[in-house]
Structure formats: C-alpha cells, structure tokens
mmCIF file of all heavy atoms in Angstrom:
data_model
loop_
_atom_site.group_PDB
_atom_site.id
_atom_site.type_symbol
_atom_site.label_atom_id
_atom_site.label_comp_id
_atom_site.label_asym_id
_atom_site.label_seq_id
_atom_site.Cartn_x
_atom_site.Cartn_y
_atom_site.Cartn_z
ATOM 1 N N LEU A 27 -3.804 -6.439 -1.676
ATOM 2 C CA LEU A 27 -3.104 -5.166 -1.519
ATOM 3 C C LEU A 27 -1.597 -5.346 -1.666
ATOM 4 O O LEU A 27 -0.911 -4.517 -2.277
ATOM 5 C CB LEU A 27 -3.427 -4.558 -0.149
ATOM 6 C CG LEU A 27 -4.811 -3.941 0.007
ATOM 7 C CD1 LEU A 27 -5.076 -3.595 1.474
ATOM 8 C CD2 LEU A 27 -4.939 -2.686 -0.858
ATOM 9 N N MET A 28 -1.075 -6.439 -1.120
ATOM 10 C CA MET A 28 0.359 -6.698 -1.217
ATOM 11 C C MET A 28 0.783 -6.920 -2.661
ATOM 12 O O MET A 28 1.857 -6.475 -3.080
ATOM 13 C CB MET A 28 0.736 -7.917 -0.359
ATOM 14 C CG MET A 28 0.612 -7.675 1.144
ATOM 15 S SD MET A 28 0.880 -9.177 2.126
ATOM 16 C CE MET A 28 2.661 -9.374 1.972
ATOM 17 N N ILE A 29 -0.065 -7.578 -3.439
ATOM 18 C CA ILE A 29 0.246 -7.811 -4.855
ATOM 19 C C ILE A 29 0.207 -6.496 -5.631
ATOM 20 O O ILE A 29 1.130 -6.180 -6.399
ATOM 21 C CB ILE A 29 -0.757 -8.823 -5.459
ATOM 22 C CG1 ILE A 29 -0.547 -10.211 -4.856
ATOM 23 C CG2 ILE A 29 -0.598 -8.880 -6.979
ATOM 24 C CD1 ILE A 29 -1.654 -11.197 -5.181
ATOM 25 N N GLU A 30 -0.834 -5.712 -5.425
ATOM 26 C CA GLU A 30 -0.992 -4.463 -6.165
ATOM 27 C C GLU A 30 0.088 -3.447 -5.802
ATOM 28 O O GLU A 30 0.511 -2.644 -6.635
ATOM 29 C CB GLU A 30 -2.372 -3.858 -5.890
ATOM 30 C CG GLU A 30 -3.524 -4.652 -6.493
ATOM 31 C CD GLU A 30 -4.867 -3.998 -6.234
ATOM 32 O OE1 GLU A 30 -4.911 -2.753 -6.108
ATOM 33 O OE2 GLU A 30 -5.875 -4.722 -6.144
ATOM 34 N N THR A 31 0.575 -3.506 -4.578
ATOM 35 C CA THR A 31 1.523 -2.506 -4.087
ATOM 36 C C THR A 31 2.979 -2.904 -4.320
ATOM 37 O O THR A 31 3.863 -2.060 -4.269
ATOM 38 C CB THR A 31 1.285 -2.278 -2.574
ATOM 39 O OG1 THR A 31 -0.093 -1.951 -2.360
ATOM 40 C CG2 THR A 31 2.149 -1.159 -2.039
ATOM 41 N N LYS A 32 3.222 -4.195 -4.580
ATOM 42 C CA LYS A 32 4.587 -4.727 -4.644
ATOM 43 C C LYS A 32 5.277 -4.536 -3.289
ATOM 44 O O LYS A 32 6.095 -3.640 -3.092
ATOM 45 C CB LYS A 32 5.402 -4.091 -5.767
ATOM 46 C CG LYS A 32 4.892 -4.444 -7.153
ATOM 47 C CD LYS A 32 5.826 -3.932 -8.246
ATOM 48 C CE LYS A 32 5.321 -4.352 -9.616
ATOM 49 N NZ LYS A 32 6.169 -3.834 -10.717
ATOM 50 N N VAL A 33 4.913 -5.422 -2.392
ATOM 51 C CA VAL A 33 5.358 -5.338 -1.007
ATOM 52 C C VAL A 33 6.426 -6.404 -0.741
ATOM 53 O O VAL A 33 6.328 -7.520 -1.242
ATOM 54 C CB VAL A 33 4.155 -5.542 -0.056
ATOM 55 C CG1 VAL A 33 4.597 -5.790 1.369
ATOM 56 C CG2 VAL A 33 3.240 -4.333 -0.110
ATOM 57 N N ASP A 34 7.428 -6.072 0.053
ATOM 58 C CA ASP A 34 8.413 -7.051 0.489
ATOM 59 C C ASP A 34 7.792 -7.914 1.580
ATOM 60 O O ASP A 34 7.371 -7.424 2.627
ATOM 61 C CB ASP A 34 9.667 -6.363 1.025
ATOM 62 C CG ASP A 34 10.786 -7.352 1.285
ATOM 63 O OD1 ASP A 34 10.798 -7.958 2.379
ATOM 64 O OD2 ASP A 34 11.636 -7.524 0.399
ATOM 65 N N PHE A 35 7.743 -9.227 1.330
ATOM 66 C CA PHE A 35 7.037 -10.149 2.216
ATOM 67 C C PHE A 35 7.570 -10.099 3.644
ATOM 68 O O PHE A 35 6.808 -9.949 4.604
ATOM 69 C CB PHE A 35 7.165 -11.572 1.653
ATOM 70 C CG PHE A 35 6.430 -12.624 2.434
ATOM 71 C CD1 PHE A 35 5.062 -12.778 2.302
ATOM 72 C CD2 PHE A 35 7.108 -13.470 3.301
ATOM 73 C CE1 PHE A 35 4.376 -13.752 3.011
ATOM 74 C CE2 PHE A 35 6.446 -14.450 4.017
ATOM 75 C CZ PHE A 35 5.070 -14.594 3.872
ATOM 76 N N THR A 36 8.869 -10.222 3.813
ATOM 77 C CA THR A 36 9.458 -10.285 5.156
ATOM 78 C C THR A 36 9.382 -8.941 5.865
ATOM 79 O O THR A 36 8.992 -8.860 7.038
ATOM 80 C CB THR A 36 10.917 -10.764 5.075
ATOM 81 O OG1 THR A 36 10.942 -12.085 4.520
ATOM 82 C CG2 THR A 36 11.565 -10.777 6.450
ATOM 83 N N ILE A 37 9.764 -7.874 5.172
ATOM 84 C CA ILE A 37 9.782 -6.552 5.813
ATOM 85 C C ILE A 37 8.378 -6.119 6.206
ATOM 86 O O ILE A 37 8.163 -5.552 7.292
ATOM 87 C CB ILE A 37 10.459 -5.516 4.894
ATOM 88 C CG1 ILE A 37 11.940 -5.874 4.704
ATOM 89 C CG2 ILE A 37 10.325 -4.105 5.477
ATOM 90 C CD1 ILE A 37 12.684 -4.950 3.750
ATOM 91 N N PHE A 38 7.388 -6.394 5.366
ATOM 92 C CA PHE A 38 6.015 -5.996 5.689
ATOM 93 C C PHE A 38 5.565 -6.605 7.015
ATOM 94 O O PHE A 38 5.087 -5.884 7.916
ATOM 95 C CB PHE A 38 5.039 -6.402 4.582
ATOM 96 C CG PHE A 38 3.604 -6.198 4.971
ATOM 97 C CD1 PHE A 38 3.023 -4.935 4.894
ATOM 98 C CD2 PHE A 38 2.840 -7.247 5.468
ATOM 99 C CE1 PHE A 38 1.707 -4.732 5.298
ATOM 100 C CE2 PHE A 38 1.528 -7.054 5.873
ATOM 101 C CZ PHE A 38 0.957 -5.790 5.787
ATOM 102 N N PHE A 39 5.686 -7.909 7.146
ATOM 103 C CA PHE A 39 5.174 -8.549 8.366
ATOM 104 C C PHE A 39 5.995 -8.156 9.597
ATOM 105 O O PHE A 39 5.453 -8.075 10.704
ATOM 106 C CB PHE A 39 5.129 -10.065 8.195
ATOM 107 C CG PHE A 39 3.930 -10.543 7.421
ATOM 108 C CD1 PHE A 39 4.047 -10.945 6.104
ATOM 109 C CD2 PHE A 39 2.669 -10.563 8.009
ATOM 110 C CE1 PHE A 39 2.930 -11.370 5.384
ATOM 111 C CE2 PHE A 39 1.547 -10.984 7.305
ATOM 112 C CZ PHE A 39 1.679 -11.388 5.991
ATOM 113 N N ARG A 40 7.271 -7.885 9.400
ATOM 114 C CA ARG A 40 8.075 -7.437 10.548
ATOM 115 C C ARG A 40 7.660 -6.030 10.971
ATOM 116 O O ARG A 40 7.558 -5.734 12.168
ATOM 117 C CB ARG A 40 9.556 -7.472 10.192
ATOM 118 C CG ARG A 40 10.465 -7.164 11.380
ATOM 119 C CD ARG A 40 10.399 -8.245 12.446
ATOM 120 N NE ARG A 40 11.297 -7.945 13.561
ATOM 121 C CZ ARG A 40 11.743 -8.835 14.419
ATOM 122 N NH1 ARG A 40 11.370 -10.099 14.316
ATOM 123 N NH2 ARG A 40 12.555 -8.477 15.393
ATOM 124 N N GLU A 41 7.398 -5.154 10.008
ATOM 125 C CA GLU A 41 6.966 -3.802 10.341
ATOM 126 C C GLU A 41 5.579 -3.816 10.986
ATOM 127 O O GLU A 41 5.261 -2.970 11.839
ATOM 128 C CB GLU A 41 6.956 -2.927 9.091
ATOM 129 C CG GLU A 41 8.336 -2.621 8.526
ATOM 130 C CD GLU A 41 9.232 -1.916 9.525
ATOM 131 O OE1 GLU A 41 8.845 -0.838 10.012
ATOM 132 O OE2 GLU A 41 10.324 -2.453 9.828
ATOM 133 N N LEU A 42 4.762 -4.778 10.608
ATOM 134 C CA LEU A 42 3.434 -4.896 11.217
ATOM 135 C C LEU A 42 3.537 -5.222 12.708
ATOM 136 O O LEU A 42 2.628 -4.904 13.483
ATOM 137 C CB LEU A 42 2.631 -5.982 10.492
ATOM 138 C CG LEU A 42 1.103 -5.933 10.627
ATOM 139 C CD1 LEU A 42 0.536 -4.656 9.999
ATOM 140 C CD2 LEU A 42 0.469 -7.164 9.991
ATOM 141 N N CYS A 43 4.648 -5.828 13.102
ATOM 142 C CA CYS A 43 4.867 -6.126 14.527
ATOM 143 C C CYS A 43 4.966 -4.861 15.371
ATOM 144 O O CYS A 43 4.873 -4.915 16.602
ATOM 145 C CB CYS A 43 6.141 -6.951 14.709
ATOM 146 S SG CYS A 43 6.121 -8.567 13.900
ATOM 147 N N LYS A 44 5.174 -3.711 14.725
ATOM 148 C CA LYS A 44 5.258 -2.427 15.448
ATOM 149 C C LYS A 44 3.883 -1.843 15.739
ATOM 150 O O LYS A 44 3.772 -0.738 16.279
ATOM 151 C CB LYS A 44 6.092 -1.432 14.642
ATOM 152 C CG LYS A 44 7.544 -1.860 14.460
ATOM 153 C CD LYS A 44 8.311 -0.864 13.587
ATOM 154 C CE LYS A 44 9.753 -1.288 13.374
ATOM 155 N NZ LYS A 44 10.488 -0.353 12.481
ATOM 156 N N MET A 45 2.834 -2.566 15.363
ATOM 157 C CA MET A 45 1.447 -2.154 15.626
ATOM 158 C C MET A 45 1.122 -0.785 15.025
ATOM 159 O O MET A 45 0.650 0.123 15.708
ATOM 160 C CB MET A 45 1.164 -2.144 17.140
ATOM 161 C CG MET A 45 1.297 -3.500 17.792
ATOM 162 S SD MET A 45 -0.107 -4.531 17.371
ATOM 163 C CE MET A 45 0.523 -6.159 17.724
ATOM 164 N N PRO A 46 1.365 -0.605 13.743
ATOM 165 C CA PRO A 46 1.129 0.710 13.127
ATOM 166 C C PRO A 46 -0.358 1.056 13.068
ATOM 167 O O PRO A 46 -1.213 0.175 12.947
ATOM 168 C CB PRO A 46 1.709 0.536 11.718
ATOM 169 C CG PRO A 46 1.580 -0.931 11.441
ATOM 170 C CD PRO A 46 1.822 -1.608 12.750
ATOM 171 N N LYS A 47 -0.620 2.354 13.123
ATOM 172 C CA LYS A 47 -2.001 2.825 13.003
ATOM 173 C C LYS A 47 -2.233 3.505 11.649
ATOM 174 O O LYS A 47 -3.377 3.650 11.220
ATOM 175 C CB LYS A 47 -2.308 3.819 14.136
ATOM 176 C CG LYS A 47 -2.320 3.206 15.538
ATOM 177 C CD LYS A 47 -3.486 2.246 15.704
ATOM 178 C CE LYS A 47 -3.582 1.707 17.124
ATOM 179 N NZ LYS A 47 -4.045 2.695 18.104
ATOM 180 N N HIS A 48 -1.150 3.916 11.005
ATOM 181 C CA HIS A 48 -1.288 4.632 9.731
ATOM 182 C C HIS A 48 -0.522 3.877 8.646
ATOM 183 O O HIS A 48 0.577 3.366 8.871
ATOM 184 C CB HIS A 48 -0.759 6.068 9.852
ATOM 185 C CG HIS A 48 -1.169 6.953 8.717
ATOM 186 N ND1 HIS A 48 -0.403 7.102 7.583
ATOM 187 C CD2 HIS A 48 -2.279 7.719 8.535
ATOM 188 C CE1 HIS A 48 -1.018 7.922 6.747
ATOM 189 N NE2 HIS A 48 -2.159 8.320 7.304
ATOM 190 N N TRP A 49 -1.100 3.842 7.439
ATOM 191 C CA TRP A 49 -0.514 3.061 6.342
ATOM 192 C C TRP A 49 0.916 3.490 6.016
ATOM 193 O O TRP A 49 1.747 2.661 5.600
ATOM 194 C CB TRP A 49 -1.383 3.187 5.081
ATOM 195 C CG TRP A 49 -1.255 4.514 4.390
ATOM 196 C CD1 TRP A 49 -2.022 5.613 4.581
ATOM 197 C CD2 TRP A 49 -0.267 4.869 3.409
ATOM 198 N NE1 TRP A 49 -1.583 6.657 3.789
ATOM 199 C CE2 TRP A 49 -0.517 6.219 3.060
ATOM 200 C CE3 TRP A 49 0.778 4.198 2.796
ATOM 201 C CZ2 TRP A 49 0.263 6.896 2.120
ATOM 202 C CZ3 TRP A 49 1.549 4.872 1.866
ATOM 203 C CH2 TRP A 49 1.288 6.204 1.538
ATOM 204 N N SER A 50 1.238 4.757 6.231
ATOM 205 C CA SER A 50 2.571 5.254 5.872
ATOM 206 C C SER A 50 3.666 4.602 6.713
ATOM 207 O O SER A 50 4.838 4.600 6.317
ATOM 208 C CB SER A 50 2.629 6.777 6.017
ATOM 209 O OG SER A 50 2.350 7.162 7.347
ATOM 210 N N ASP A 51 3.286 4.035 7.869
ATOM 211 C CA ASP A 51 4.275 3.352 8.702
ATOM 212 C C ASP A 51 4.742 2.031 8.080
ATOM 213 O O ASP A 51 5.688 1.417 8.574
ATOM 214 C CB ASP A 51 3.687 3.075 10.089
ATOM 215 C CG ASP A 51 3.397 4.362 10.855
ATOM 216 O OD1 ASP A 51 4.142 5.337 10.665
ATOM 217 O OD2 ASP A 51 2.414 4.391 11.622
ATOM 218 N N LEU A 52 4.052 1.613 7.025
ATOM 219 C CA LEU A 52 4.420 0.380 6.340
ATOM 220 C C LEU A 52 5.203 0.634 5.055
ATOM 221 O O LEU A 52 5.600 -0.307 4.368
ATOM 222 C CB LEU A 52 3.160 -0.433 6.014
ATOM 223 C CG LEU A 52 2.349 -0.938 7.216
ATOM 224 C CD1 LEU A 52 1.003 -1.479 6.746
ATOM 225 C CD2 LEU A 52 3.119 -2.006 7.983
ATOM 226 N N LYS A 53 5.407 1.912 4.717
ATOM 227 C CA LYS A 53 6.017 2.267 3.432
ATOM 228 C C LYS A 53 7.417 1.689 3.247
ATOM 229 O O LYS A 53 7.862 1.512 2.115
ATOM 230 C CB LYS A 53 6.075 3.790 3.260
ATOM 231 C CG LYS A 53 4.754 4.410 2.865
ATOM 232 C CD LYS A 53 4.928 5.758 2.188
ATOM 233 C CE LYS A 53 5.757 6.723 3.003
ATOM 234 N NZ LYS A 53 5.831 8.061 2.359
ATOM 235 N N THR A 54 8.111 1.401 4.313
ATOM 236 C CA THR A 54 9.457 0.847 4.182
ATOM 237 C C THR A 54 9.441 -0.514 3.501
ATOM 238 O O THR A 54 10.479 -0.978 3.021
ATOM 239 C CB THR A 54 10.143 0.706 5.552
ATOM 240 O OG1 THR A 54 9.274 -0.017 6.436
ATOM 241 C CG2 THR A 54 10.461 2.060 6.159
ATOM 242 N N SER A 55 8.282 -1.157 3.450
ATOM 243 C CA SER A 55 8.179 -2.471 2.803
ATOM 244 C C SER A 55 7.661 -2.368 1.372
ATOM 245 O O SER A 55 7.542 -3.381 0.688
ATOM 246 C CB SER A 55 7.256 -3.394 3.608
ATOM 247 O OG SER A 55 5.913 -2.950 3.561
#
C-alpha cells in the first residue's frame, strides 16, 4: 500500500503513533 500510494516513510509511521481509526488521518503522509 505504501508503494502504490507514494507514502512518506517517516511521516507515515509517526502519524500512525496517533492511533488513527480512519485512513484519512494518514493523508498527511
């Protein structure tokens, strides 16, 4: 998913620390 979406490696995992429940909470990465 990270490859297909073009995700920022550092920002994604840091945002995941916020315990998101919805995918849109990860959009900043």
Side-chain angles (χ1 to χ4, degrees):
L27 285 170
M28 291 174 74
I29 292 169
E30 291 182 29
T31 306
K32 293 187 178 178
V33 166
D34 189 276
F35 183 78
T36 298
I37 295 177
F38 171 80
F39 280 104
R40 186 67 179 200
E41 291 301 303
L42 201 64
C43 298
K44 296 177 181 178
M45 298 286 161
K47 293 293 184 72
H48 194 269
W49 74 268
S50 60
D51 295 327
L52 296 169
K53 282 202 307 184
T54 52
S55 68

